Amino acid sequence: MNKIYILALMLLMGQSSWAQIREFQTTRLNSTGGAGVASMLSTEAGILNPAASAFFDGSSLSYQRYTTTLRHENEARKAANDDFSNPNRSQGIFMADHDAPLKGGLAYLKQDENNFQREQIITHAAAPISKSTALGISYHYIQDTLPKEYSNRHQVSHQLTMGLTNALDDKSIIGLVIVDPTRTTPDEERALAGLQYAVAQKLTLIADAGAQYTKDVRDKYLWRAAVQLQIFDDFFFRLGKFYDNIRESKGTGWGVSWIGPKLGVEFAQKFSEQFGKNYYVYQDETLVDTSISAIIKF
């Protein structure tokens, strides 16, 4: 069955383009397999848990970029003359301002993947409700451009995410996120809970679990787990693993980063496989996301 036929079948069944474009992930998130709902992350707050911004001071500017390649190309792809689409690039610019009482930021994201294009403008804000607890909200303006096979090639959506972060003690942090509570983006709605726990001074465990709350959670769930090792004062090494039954994807990630007082650089790779009836990746093929990023703190 070729790709054009499947695209036409999806249109007839009322499917949308949202399943064709994967979530944007920063270099840090690629290294942890996406885990980090409970992590204190400034750059990622707008795309993961906006409440984290409330715990930062100062401002920052970050550039994120990753390319996607295909490994272990299936013979069926060659037989069907179904070449892997190029280019597959994603990039984002993140700006954060944590000097005001209402802290937050702005981001611009652009993805080119599998002949689909997505652009996002994201703004988020957060404020503390106690010394150890904060609430946040983010707004996503999303514009998709679909392949030529679709009659309605341009789609626009407005999406909200609400988040909570609570530092239980010096070692433990929990986070909660509700994505698209107004259900404006098909099949994007989900709820996530996260835990970050410092096992030792330089060893941290990170775990997330979630589900698509409008469906049977036994069928539409995900989990992500990662470990972070701090080396000296500024170097970090991370390993992650994930299983996402909502987007029918599973895999691993790894990454390294150097975070100084004013500058930081990161590198990561994520390896993912598709399962179920997703036609984008054939059986036993692996998507490899190679990420780099740079951050400046003010």
Side-chain angles (χ1 to χ4, degrees), residues 10 121 194 201 209 232:
M10 290 176 63
I121 298 175
Q201 185 177 2
F232 305 113

Short mmCIF file of all heavy atoms in Angstrom, two decimals, residues 10 121 194 201 209 232:
data_model
loop_
_atom_site.label_atom_id
_atom_site.label_comp_id
_atom_site.label_asym_id
_atom_site.label_seq_id
_atom_site.Cartn_x
_atom_site.Cartn_y
_atom_site.Cartn_z
N MET A 10 -6.84 8.12 5.18
CA MET A 10 -6.93 8.86 6.43
C MET A 10 -7.88 10.03 6.32
O MET A 10 -8.63 10.34 7.25
CB MET A 10 -5.54 9.36 6.82
CG MET A 10 -4.59 8.25 7.26
SD MET A 10 -2.94 8.89 7.58
CE MET A 10 -3.29 9.99 8.96
N ILE A 121 4.26 29.61 17.71
CA ILE A 121 4.64 30.73 18.56
C ILE A 121 4.06 30.45 19.93
O ILE A 121 2.85 30.22 20.07
CB ILE A 121 4.12 32.07 18.01
CG1 ILE A 121 4.74 32.34 16.63
CG2 ILE A 121 4.45 33.21 18.97
CD1 ILE A 121 4.18 33.58 15.96
N GLY A 194 4.95 13.97 36.90
CA GLY A 194 6.38 13.71 36.89
C GLY A 194 6.98 13.75 38.28
O GLY A 194 6.45 14.40 39.19
N GLN A 201 24.23 13.31 45.68
CA GLN A 201 24.52 14.70 45.39
C GLN A 201 24.62 14.98 43.89
O GLN A 201 24.22 16.04 43.41
CB GLN A 201 25.82 15.12 46.08
CG GLN A 201 26.14 16.60 45.92
CD GLN A 201 27.38 17.00 46.68
OE1 GLN A 201 28.04 16.17 47.30
NE2 GLN A 201 27.72 18.29 46.64
N ALA A 209 4.79 9.96 33.76
CA ALA A 209 3.76 9.04 33.30
C ALA A 209 2.54 9.86 32.93
O ALA A 209 2.27 10.90 33.54
CB ALA A 209 3.41 8.01 34.37
N PHE A 232 31.83 16.82 37.81
CA PHE A 232 32.42 18.08 38.28
C PHE A 232 31.26 19.06 38.57
O PHE A 232 30.23 18.66 39.09
CB PHE A 232 33.42 18.63 37.26
CG PHE A 232 34.50 17.64 36.90
CD1 PHE A 232 34.59 17.10 35.63
CD2 PHE A 232 35.43 17.25 37.86
CE1 PHE A 232 35.58 16.19 35.32
CE2 PHE A 232 36.42 16.32 37.55
CZ PHE A 232 36.50 15.80 36.29
#
